[in-house]
Amino acid sequence: MKVFNTKILGTGSYLPEKILTNDDIAKRVDTNHQWIVERTGIHTRRIGDPAKDETPSGMAARAAVKALEAANLTPNDIDFIIFSTTLPDMFFPNTACVLQQKLGITNMCGAIDINAACTGWTYAVPMADAMIKTGMYKNILVVGSEMTSSFNNWDDRNTCILFGDGAGAVILGRAAENEDSRIYTTTLSADSTKKDHLFLAAGGAAKKVTAEVLANNEQWVSMNGQEVFKSAVKTMASLSEKVVAESEKTMSDVDWFIPHQANLRIIEAVGNRFNFPLEKVVINVDKYANTSSATVPIALDEAIRDGRIKRGDNVLIAAFGAGLTSGAIFLKY
Ligand code: UT7
């Protein structure tokens, strides 16, 4: 069987217009700009407005249009959509189908949502890679788009400072035979013993939203921040080292590191574990906070568009999220 290498053909991102500052949040809960910056590195985040179609599907559509332009493709060139989102537009139809329609794709391509919380986009890429390698599909749109403001409890200072909304889109396709671009190695993992450290209890089939649920604030995210922090550092560092070693490379071969953007202290701690220089780490948590599974494709798109990441560069990606899920990707752009 002929095996193809997977190449990033184009990227795009979209951030909602509305900027929410730390001072804005401090008007509602007992916190302040200095505490938030020192503990998280976050200065601002964006908040989507459903009236402007800044929903998971609406933001993804804007990001995907930019990715199509960058890849020089038309909507009907997409032959599969994988849509990562933690809280979809609605439970069904899936958000990927809504996106298919918003992009005007009429070729009836397959369209699926996946949920691995903040690791979702990093989970989607190995799936798309396998489908491209085997020749099943040619151009796969892999989106991470999140409206975390819809599950964020604005009265809980432990969590509301951390999250933001946004979308990133990447089109993966076949590299030509004379091209170097490829995904070297990917690895995915989940530790369900830690599933109770980060969750959204109500709204699914197990617990419908009732007056009692609302009174208990179970419709919002719950988190044990310190446990998530410790696991995040450990797993992102170990999976990063694993994908680089399995690609028969060393950390000195990594040109750019794109970690999940949850907290600047987590990013710095991961980099310190393998002695990685901070200037080669793509960071935007200061501007957008944690946009869940959209952080990595947004950061990738920004670093490609501003010229930091160039063709031929080796890019290491690592993410973690509720589950606790985690994953890493090592690729040549
Ligand atoms: O994609 C995964 C998403 N989640 C994460 O990545 C979260 C990972 N965890 C974290 O980022 C950090 O644990 C936090 C930023 C959430 C918290 O930082 P921390 O350094 O672990 O603080 P802490 O929870 O140990 O809290 C220290 C103090 C506490 O007060 P006391 O008990 O020492 O008096 C908190 O009540 O800071 C207090 N505190 C705050 N103070 C001002 C907690 N949140 C705030 C706040 N403003 N927003």
Side-chain angles (χ1 to χ4, degrees):
M1 187 181 76
K2 187 169 168 50
V3 174
F4 300 92
N5 277 323
T6 301
K7 177 184 179 186
I8 294 174
L9 302 180
T11 63
S13 56
Y14 178 81
L15 281 308
E17 282 169 29
K18 184 177 170 192
I19 297 173
L20 191 72
T21 65
N22 293 338
D23 288 338
D24 293 332
I25 293 179
K27 286 180 195 145
R28 181 151 172 176
V29 290
D30 180 17
T31 189
N32 60 75
H33 178 70
Q34 192 189 346
W35 191 96
I36 299 172
V37 171
E38 279 174 11
R39 301 290 178 124
T40 70
I42 297 166
H43 289 241
T44 56
R45 70 285 292 143
R46 303 295 181 95
I47 303 296
D49 179 355
K52 294 183 186 149
D53 200 24
E54 290 176 334
T55 54
S57 67
M59 293 189 289
R62 284 139 160 145
V65 165
K66 292 182 195 161
L68 284 165
E69 274 166 20
N72 205 15
L73 293 173
T74 66
N76 276 324
D77 292 324
I78 298 299
D79 51 17
F80 201 83
I81 302 171
I82 309 182
F83 196 122
S84 161
T85 189
T86 308
L87 196 60
D89 282 26
M90 59 185 102
F91 287 111
F92 55 88
N94 69 29
T95 328
C97 286
V98 182
L99 177 62
Q100 187 202 57
Q101 186 181 53
K102 287 189 177 173
L103 289 174
I105 296 175
T106 54
N107 62 12
M108 293 168 67
C109 69
I112 188 175
D113 282 12
I114 69 156
N115 180 353
C118 300
T119 324
W121 185 86
T122 304
Y123 260 64
V125 168
M127 296 175 193
D129 179 38
M131 294 198 280
I132 287 165
K133 272 197 175 118
T134 51
M136 256 178 102
Y137 295 104
K138 220 171 152 191
N139 301 314
I140 304 184
L141 173 60
V142 187
V143 165
S145 184
E146 304 271 10
M147 206 173 162
T148 64
S149 57
S150 56
F151 60 73
N152 209 353
N153 181 355
W154 296 106
D155 292 318
D156 177 6
R157 70 174 185 174
N158 292 301
T159 50
C160 74
I161 58 164
L162 297 173
F163 296 99
D165 299 343
V170 174
I171 299 170
L172 296 176
R174 291 176 189 172
E177 293 208 348
N178 59 350
E179 287 179 321
D180 272 353
S181 299
R182 69 196 56 212
I183 292 176
Y184 296 117
T185 311
T186 61
T187 184
L188 300 175
S189 159
D191 180 359
S192 54
T193 63
K194 301 195 170 79
K195 73 175 177 39
D196 297 334
H197 292 324
L198 185 53
F199 61 93
L200 178 55
K207 193 176 256 190
K208 290 192 181 149
V209 176
T210 59
E212 196 187 345
V213 161
L214 295 176
N216 292 336
N217 281 321
E218 289 174 293
Q219 72 279 31
W220 310 124
V221 62
S222 290
M223 184 182 72
N224 179 343
Q226 289 188 356
E227 285 301 325
V228 175
F229 192 113
K230 279 189 274 179
S231 291
V233 173
K234 238 187 272 169
T235 54
M236 286 210 292
S238 66
L239 296 188
S240 293
E241 285 171 327
K242 182 170 180 243
V243 281
V244 171
E246 284 179 357
S247 308
E248 295 176 350
K249 305 261 190 255
T250 65
M251 280 295 166
S252 59
D253 295 311
V254 178
D255 296 301
W256 292 101
F257 177 37
I258 309 183
H260 172 47
Q261 312 279 313
N263 182 324
L264 185 60
R265 283 162 55 220
I266 294 177
I267 294 172
E268 288 170 347
V270 174
N272 284 340
R273 284 214 171 198
F274 43 74
N275 238 346
F276 197 78
L278 204 58
E279 48 301 350
K280 295 208 282 180
V281 184
V282 181
I283 296 170
N284 62 17
V285 67
D286 51 326
K287 293 186 289 183
Y288 309 136
N290 180 351
T291 56
S292 188
S293 71
T295 69
V296 171
I298 292 171
L300 177 66
D301 178 54
E302 287 195 337
I304 289 172
R305 282 177 190 267
D306 68 21
R308 273 175 291 173
I309 296 180
K310 298 182 181 59
R311 284 287 173 203
D313 283 355
N314 288 325
V315 180
L316 171 64
I317 288 168
F320 72 95
L324 295 179
T325 53
S326 51
I329 300 167
F330 192 38
L331 61 86
K332 184 183 275 295
Y333 177 64

Short mmCIF file of all heavy atoms in Angstrom, two decimals, residues 223-274:
data_model
loop_
_atom_site.label_atom_id
_atom_site.label_comp_id
_atom_site.label_asym_id
_atom_site.label_seq_id
_atom_site.Cartn_x
_atom_site.Cartn_y
_atom_site.Cartn_z
N MET A 223 -13.17 22.62 39.11
CA MET A 223 -11.75 22.27 38.90
C MET A 223 -10.98 22.25 40.20
O MET A 223 -11.19 23.07 41.08
CB MET A 223 -11.13 23.33 37.97
CG MET A 223 -9.70 23.05 37.60
SD MET A 223 -9.03 24.35 36.56
CE MET A 223 -8.87 25.65 37.77
N ASN A 224 -10.07 21.27 40.30
CA ASN A 224 -9.08 21.24 41.36
C ASN A 224 -7.77 21.73 40.72
O ASN A 224 -7.01 20.95 40.15
CB ASN A 224 -8.95 19.80 41.88
CG ASN A 224 -7.91 19.68 42.97
OD1 ASN A 224 -7.07 20.56 43.14
ND2 ASN A 224 -7.96 18.60 43.71
N GLY A 225 -7.56 23.05 40.79
CA GLY A 225 -6.50 23.70 40.03
C GLY A 225 -5.12 23.14 40.28
O GLY A 225 -4.35 22.90 39.35
N GLN A 226 -4.80 22.89 41.55
CA GLN A 226 -3.42 22.45 41.86
C GLN A 226 -3.13 21.06 41.30
O GLN A 226 -2.04 20.79 40.81
CB GLN A 226 -3.19 22.49 43.36
CG GLN A 226 -3.12 23.93 43.86
CD GLN A 226 -2.71 24.04 45.30
OE1 GLN A 226 -2.55 23.02 45.98
NE2 GLN A 226 -2.56 25.24 45.79
N GLU A 227 -4.14 20.15 41.41
CA GLU A 227 -3.93 18.80 40.87
C GLU A 227 -3.77 18.84 39.35
O GLU A 227 -2.93 18.15 38.78
CB GLU A 227 -5.11 17.88 41.24
CG GLU A 227 -5.11 17.45 42.68
CD GLU A 227 -3.85 16.69 43.08
OE1 GLU A 227 -3.31 15.94 42.25
OE2 GLU A 227 -3.39 16.88 44.23
N VAL A 228 -4.61 19.66 38.69
CA VAL A 228 -4.52 19.77 37.22
C VAL A 228 -3.15 20.34 36.84
O VAL A 228 -2.49 19.85 35.91
CB VAL A 228 -5.65 20.66 36.66
CG1 VAL A 228 -5.49 20.87 35.17
CG2 VAL A 228 -7.02 20.05 36.96
N PHE A 229 -2.72 21.33 37.60
CA PHE A 229 -1.42 21.97 37.33
C PHE A 229 -0.30 20.92 37.37
O PHE A 229 0.50 20.81 36.43
CB PHE A 229 -1.19 23.05 38.40
CG PHE A 229 -0.05 23.98 38.13
CD1 PHE A 229 -0.28 25.33 37.86
CD2 PHE A 229 1.27 23.54 38.17
CE1 PHE A 229 0.78 26.21 37.61
CE2 PHE A 229 2.34 24.41 37.92
CZ PHE A 229 2.08 25.75 37.66
N LYS A 230 -0.26 20.13 38.45
CA LYS A 230 0.84 19.16 38.62
C LYS A 230 0.83 18.12 37.50
O LYS A 230 1.86 17.82 36.91
CB LYS A 230 0.69 18.43 39.97
CG LYS A 230 1.22 19.24 41.14
CD LYS A 230 1.26 18.41 42.41
CE LYS A 230 -0.08 18.46 43.12
NZ LYS A 230 -0.26 17.74 44.32
N SER A 231 -0.37 17.60 37.19
CA SER A 231 -0.46 16.58 36.13
C SER A 231 -0.07 17.16 34.79
O SER A 231 0.57 16.49 33.98
CB SER A 231 -1.90 16.05 36.02
OG SER A 231 -2.20 15.30 37.13
N ALA A 232 -0.51 18.40 34.55
CA ALA A 232 -0.24 19.03 33.26
C ALA A 232 1.26 19.11 33.00
O ALA A 232 1.75 18.75 31.93
CB ALA A 232 -0.85 20.44 33.24
N VAL A 233 2.00 19.56 34.01
CA VAL A 233 3.45 19.71 33.83
C VAL A 233 4.08 18.35 33.56
O VAL A 233 4.85 18.18 32.61
CB VAL A 233 4.07 20.38 35.09
CG1 VAL A 233 5.59 20.39 34.99
CG2 VAL A 233 3.53 21.80 35.26
N LYS A 234 3.72 17.38 34.40
CA LYS A 234 4.33 16.05 34.29
C LYS A 234 4.03 15.42 32.92
O LYS A 234 4.93 14.96 32.22
CB LYS A 234 3.77 15.14 35.39
CG LYS A 234 4.85 14.58 36.28
CD LYS A 234 4.30 13.56 37.24
CE LYS A 234 3.80 14.24 38.51
NZ LYS A 234 3.02 13.41 39.39
N THR A 235 2.75 15.40 32.53
CA THR A 235 2.40 14.67 31.30
C THR A 235 2.86 15.41 30.04
O THR A 235 3.34 14.78 29.11
CB THR A 235 0.89 14.37 31.17
OG1 THR A 235 0.18 15.58 31.30
CG2 THR A 235 0.40 13.41 32.21
N MET A 236 2.72 16.74 30.03
CA MET A 236 3.17 17.44 28.82
C MET A 236 4.67 17.27 28.61
O MET A 236 5.13 17.08 27.49
CB MET A 236 2.79 18.93 28.85
CG MET A 236 1.31 19.15 28.61
SD MET A 236 0.97 20.73 27.81
CE MET A 236 1.41 21.85 29.08
N ALA A 237 5.43 17.30 29.71
CA ALA A 237 6.88 17.12 29.58
C ALA A 237 7.21 15.70 29.12
O ALA A 237 8.00 15.51 28.19
CB ALA A 237 7.57 17.44 30.91
N SER A 238 6.58 14.69 29.75
CA SER A 238 6.98 13.32 29.40
C SER A 238 6.52 12.95 27.99
O SER A 238 7.26 12.30 27.25
CB SER A 238 6.49 12.31 30.45
OG SER A 238 5.09 12.26 30.41
N LEU A 239 5.31 13.39 27.59
CA LEU A 239 4.87 13.04 26.22
C LEU A 239 5.68 13.80 25.17
O LEU A 239 5.93 13.27 24.09
CB LEU A 239 3.37 13.33 26.04
CG LEU A 239 2.41 12.49 26.91
CD1 LEU A 239 0.96 12.72 26.48
CD2 LEU A 239 2.73 11.00 26.88
N SER A 240 6.12 15.01 25.50
CA SER A 240 6.98 15.76 24.57
C SER A 240 8.27 14.99 24.34
O SER A 240 8.72 14.79 23.21
CB SER A 240 7.31 17.13 25.14
OG SER A 240 6.16 17.93 25.21
N GLU A 241 8.88 14.57 25.45
CA GLU A 241 10.15 13.84 25.33
C GLU A 241 9.94 12.54 24.55
O GLU A 241 10.77 12.14 23.73
CB GLU A 241 10.73 13.55 26.72
CG GLU A 241 11.32 14.82 27.32
CD GLU A 241 11.73 14.71 28.78
OE1 GLU A 241 11.07 13.96 29.54
OE2 GLU A 241 12.69 15.40 29.17
N LYS A 242 8.78 11.90 24.77
CA LYS A 242 8.49 10.62 24.10
C LYS A 242 8.39 10.79 22.58
O LYS A 242 9.02 10.04 21.82
CB LYS A 242 7.16 10.08 24.67
CG LYS A 242 6.75 8.73 24.13
CD LYS A 242 5.57 8.19 24.92
CE LYS A 242 5.14 6.84 24.39
NZ LYS A 242 3.83 6.77 23.86
N VAL A 243 7.61 11.79 22.11
CA VAL A 243 7.45 11.92 20.64
C VAL A 243 8.75 12.31 19.96
O VAL A 243 9.03 11.86 18.84
CB VAL A 243 6.32 12.89 20.20
CG1 VAL A 243 4.97 12.27 20.31
CG2 VAL A 243 6.40 14.24 20.86
N VAL A 244 9.54 13.11 20.64
CA VAL A 244 10.82 13.52 20.03
C VAL A 244 11.75 12.30 19.95
O VAL A 244 12.34 12.03 18.90
CB VAL A 244 11.46 14.69 20.81
CG1 VAL A 244 12.87 14.97 20.33
CG2 VAL A 244 10.60 15.96 20.66
N ALA A 245 11.83 11.53 21.04
CA ALA A 245 12.69 10.34 21.02
C ALA A 245 12.20 9.32 19.99
O ALA A 245 13.00 8.74 19.24
CB ALA A 245 12.73 9.71 22.42
N GLU A 246 10.89 9.11 19.93
CA GLU A 246 10.35 8.12 18.97
C GLU A 246 10.55 8.58 17.52
O GLU A 246 10.49 7.77 16.60
CB GLU A 246 8.87 7.85 19.26
CG GLU A 246 8.69 6.95 20.48
CD GLU A 246 7.23 6.69 20.82
OE1 GLU A 246 6.33 7.24 20.16
OE2 GLU A 246 7.01 5.92 21.80
N SER A 247 10.77 9.88 17.33
CA SER A 247 11.05 10.38 15.98
C SER A 247 12.55 10.31 15.68
O SER A 247 13.01 10.80 14.65
CB SER A 247 10.59 11.84 15.85
OG SER A 247 9.26 11.98 16.25
N GLU A 248 13.30 9.71 16.63
CA GLU A 248 14.76 9.60 16.53
C GLU A 248 15.43 10.97 16.39
O GLU A 248 16.33 11.17 15.58
CB GLU A 248 15.17 8.63 15.40
CG GLU A 248 14.71 7.23 15.73
CD GLU A 248 14.96 6.21 14.64
OE1 GLU A 248 15.34 6.62 13.53
OE2 GLU A 248 14.77 5.03 14.93
N LYS A 249 14.91 11.91 17.18
CA LYS A 249 15.49 13.26 17.24
C LYS A 249 15.76 13.59 18.71
O LYS A 249 15.38 12.82 19.61
CB LYS A 249 14.48 14.29 16.69
CG LYS A 249 13.97 13.99 15.28
CD LYS A 249 14.72 14.82 14.26
CE LYS A 249 14.10 14.74 12.90
NZ LYS A 249 14.82 13.93 11.93
N THR A 250 16.40 14.75 18.91
CA THR A 250 16.62 15.21 20.28
C THR A 250 15.95 16.59 20.43
O THR A 250 15.56 17.20 19.42
CB THR A 250 18.13 15.37 20.60
OG1 THR A 250 18.63 16.41 19.76
CG2 THR A 250 18.88 14.08 20.35
N MET A 251 15.88 17.08 21.66
CA MET A 251 15.24 18.38 21.90
C MET A 251 15.94 19.49 21.12
O MET A 251 15.33 20.50 20.78
CB MET A 251 15.22 18.70 23.39
CG MET A 251 14.10 17.99 24.12
SD MET A 251 12.47 18.57 23.56
CE MET A 251 11.44 17.29 24.26
N SER A 252 17.23 19.32 20.81
CA SER A 252 17.93 20.38 20.06
C SER A 252 17.46 20.43 18.60
O SER A 252 17.73 21.39 17.89
CB SER A 252 19.44 20.19 20.15
OG SER A 252 19.76 18.93 19.62
N ASP A 253 16.74 19.38 18.15
CA ASP A 253 16.17 19.40 16.79
C ASP A 253 14.84 20.16 16.73
O ASP A 253 14.28 20.37 15.65
CB ASP A 253 15.93 17.97 16.28
CG ASP A 253 17.23 17.20 16.11
OD1 ASP A 253 18.15 17.76 15.49
OD2 ASP A 253 17.31 16.06 16.61
N VAL A 254 14.30 20.52 17.90
CA VAL A 254 12.99 21.19 17.94
C VAL A 254 13.18 22.69 17.69
O VAL A 254 13.89 23.36 18.44
CB VAL A 254 12.30 20.97 19.31
CG1 VAL A 254 10.96 21.70 19.38
CG2 VAL A 254 12.10 19.47 19.57
N ASP A 255 12.57 23.20 16.63
CA ASP A 255 12.68 24.65 16.34
C ASP A 255 11.66 25.45 17.14
O ASP A 255 11.95 26.57 17.56
CB ASP A 255 12.48 24.89 14.84
CG ASP A 255 13.58 24.23 14.02
OD1 ASP A 255 14.75 24.57 14.24
OD2 ASP A 255 13.27 23.35 13.17
N TRP A 256 10.46 24.90 17.29
CA TRP A 256 9.39 25.61 18.00
C TRP A 256 8.60 24.64 18.86
O TRP A 256 8.30 23.54 18.42
CB TRP A 256 8.43 26.30 17.00
CG TRP A 256 9.11 27.43 16.29
CD1 TRP A 256 9.62 27.39 15.01
CD2 TRP A 256 9.40 28.73 16.81
NE1 TRP A 256 10.19 28.60 14.71
CE2 TRP A 256 10.07 29.44 15.79
CE3 TRP A 256 9.15 29.36 18.02
CZ2 TRP A 256 10.50 30.75 15.95
CZ3 TRP A 256 9.57 30.67 18.19
CH2 TRP A 256 10.24 31.34 17.16
N PHE A 257 8.25 25.10 20.05
CA PHE A 257 7.41 24.30 20.94
C PHE A 257 6.09 25.04 21.14
O PHE A 257 6.09 26.22 21.52
CB PHE A 257 8.14 24.11 22.28
CG PHE A 257 7.36 23.36 23.33
CD1 PHE A 257 6.54 22.28 22.99
CD2 PHE A 257 7.46 23.71 24.68
CE1 PHE A 257 5.82 21.59 23.95
CE2 PHE A 257 6.74 23.02 25.65
CZ PHE A 257 5.93 21.96 25.29
N ILE A 258 4.98 24.38 20.85
CA ILE A 258 3.66 24.97 21.08
C ILE A 258 2.93 24.15 22.14
O ILE A 258 2.36 23.10 21.84
CB ILE A 258 2.81 25.02 19.78
CG1 ILE A 258 3.59 25.65 18.63
CG2 ILE A 258 1.50 25.78 20.04
CD1 ILE A 258 2.79 25.78 17.35
N PRO A 259 2.98 24.60 23.39
CA PRO A 259 2.23 23.89 24.44
C PRO A 259 0.80 24.44 24.52
O PRO A 259 0.53 25.58 24.11
CB PRO A 259 3.01 24.24 25.71
CG PRO A 259 3.63 25.57 25.41
CD PRO A 259 3.78 25.72 23.91
N HIS A 260 -0.10 23.64 25.07
CA HIS A 260 -1.44 24.12 25.39
C HIS A 260 -1.30 25.35 26.29
O HIS A 260 -0.48 25.37 27.21
CB HIS A 260 -2.22 23.01 26.10
CG HIS A 260 -3.54 23.45 26.65
ND1 HIS A 260 -4.43 24.19 25.92
CD2 HIS A 260 -4.10 23.26 27.88
CE1 HIS A 260 -5.50 24.44 26.67
NE2 HIS A 260 -5.32 23.89 27.86
N GLN A 261 -2.10 26.38 25.99
CA GLN A 261 -1.96 27.66 26.69
C GLN A 261 -2.99 27.74 27.82
O GLN A 261 -4.10 28.23 27.62
CB GLN A 261 -2.20 28.82 25.70
CG GLN A 261 -1.46 28.70 24.40
CD GLN A 261 -0.01 29.15 24.48
OE1 GLN A 261 0.28 30.20 25.03
NE2 GLN A 261 0.90 28.36 23.93
N ALA A 262 -2.62 27.20 29.00
CA ALA A 262 -3.53 27.25 30.14
C ALA A 262 -3.03 28.23 31.19
O ALA A 262 -3.82 28.92 31.83
CB ALA A 262 -3.70 25.87 30.75
N ASN A 263 -1.72 28.26 31.36
CA ASN A 263 -1.13 29.05 32.44
C ASN A 263 0.35 29.21 32.11
O ASN A 263 1.03 28.21 31.82
CB ASN A 263 -1.33 28.28 33.76
CG ASN A 263 -0.79 29.04 34.96
OD1 ASN A 263 0.23 29.72 34.88
ND2 ASN A 263 -1.47 28.91 36.08
N LEU A 264 0.86 30.43 32.13
CA LEU A 264 2.26 30.67 31.78
C LEU A 264 3.21 29.89 32.69
O LEU A 264 4.26 29.41 32.25
CB LEU A 264 2.57 32.18 31.87
CG LEU A 264 3.96 32.61 31.42
CD1 LEU A 264 4.23 32.24 29.96
CD2 LEU A 264 4.13 34.12 31.61
N ARG A 265 2.81 29.71 33.97
CA ARG A 265 3.68 28.97 34.89
C ARG A 265 3.77 27.50 34.49
O ARG A 265 4.81 26.86 34.67
CB ARG A 265 3.16 29.09 36.33
CG ARG A 265 3.50 30.47 36.94
CD ARG A 265 2.61 30.75 38.16
NE ARG A 265 2.67 29.71 39.15
CZ ARG A 265 1.60 29.27 39.84
NH1 ARG A 265 0.40 29.77 39.64
NH2 ARG A 265 1.73 28.32 40.72
N ILE A 266 2.68 26.95 33.96
CA ILE A 266 2.73 25.55 33.48
C ILE A 266 3.67 25.47 32.28
O ILE A 266 4.52 24.58 32.19
CB ILE A 266 1.31 25.05 33.09
CG1 ILE A 266 0.40 24.98 34.32
CG2 ILE A 266 1.39 23.69 32.40
CD1 ILE A 266 -1.04 24.56 34.04
N ILE A 267 3.54 26.43 31.36
CA ILE A 267 4.36 26.43 30.15
C ILE A 267 5.85 26.52 30.52
O ILE A 267 6.68 25.76 30.02
CB ILE A 267 3.95 27.61 29.23
CG1 ILE A 267 2.52 27.40 28.71
CG2 ILE A 267 4.93 27.80 28.08
CD1 ILE A 267 1.93 28.59 27.95
N GLU A 268 6.16 27.42 31.46
CA GLU A 268 7.57 27.59 31.86
C GLU A 268 8.09 26.33 32.56
O GLU A 268 9.22 25.90 32.31
CB GLU A 268 7.71 28.80 32.80
CG GLU A 268 7.55 30.12 32.05
CD GLU A 268 7.44 31.34 32.97
OE1 GLU A 268 7.24 31.18 34.21
OE2 GLU A 268 7.52 32.46 32.44
N ALA A 269 7.24 25.72 33.39
CA ALA A 269 7.68 24.52 34.12
C ALA A 269 7.94 23.36 33.15
O ALA A 269 8.90 22.60 33.32
CB ALA A 269 6.63 24.12 35.15
N VAL A 270 7.11 23.23 32.12
CA VAL A 270 7.33 22.16 31.13
C VAL A 270 8.65 22.40 30.41
O VAL A 270 9.48 21.49 30.27
CB VAL A 270 6.15 22.08 30.12
CG1 VAL A 270 6.45 21.08 29.02
CG2 VAL A 270 4.86 21.72 30.82
N GLY A 271 8.85 23.64 29.94
CA GLY A 271 10.09 23.98 29.23
C GLY A 271 11.32 23.72 30.10
O GLY A 271 12.32 23.17 29.63
N ASN A 272 11.21 24.07 31.39
CA ASN A 272 12.34 23.87 32.30
C ASN A 272 12.69 22.40 32.46
O ASN A 272 13.85 22.04 32.61
CB ASN A 272 12.03 24.43 33.70
CG ASN A 272 12.14 25.95 33.70
OD1 ASN A 272 12.78 26.52 32.81
ND2 ASN A 272 11.50 26.60 34.67
N ARG A 273 11.66 21.53 32.41
CA ARG A 273 11.92 20.09 32.60
C ARG A 273 12.86 19.54 31.55
O ARG A 273 13.60 18.61 31.80
CB ARG A 273 10.61 19.30 32.55
CG ARG A 273 9.83 19.46 33.81
CD ARG A 273 9.09 18.19 34.13
NE ARG A 273 8.53 18.33 35.47
CZ ARG A 273 8.12 17.33 36.21
NH1 ARG A 273 8.19 16.10 35.77
NH2 ARG A 273 7.62 17.54 37.41
N PHE A 274 12.74 20.06 30.30
CA PHE A 274 13.70 19.57 29.31
C PHE A 274 14.60 20.70 28.81
O PHE A 274 15.10 20.64 27.69
CB PHE A 274 13.06 18.75 28.18
CG PHE A 274 11.77 19.27 27.61
CD1 PHE A 274 11.76 20.37 26.75
CD2 PHE A 274 10.57 18.63 27.88
CE1 PHE A 274 10.58 20.82 26.20
CE2 PHE A 274 9.39 19.09 27.34
CZ PHE A 274 9.38 20.18 26.50
#
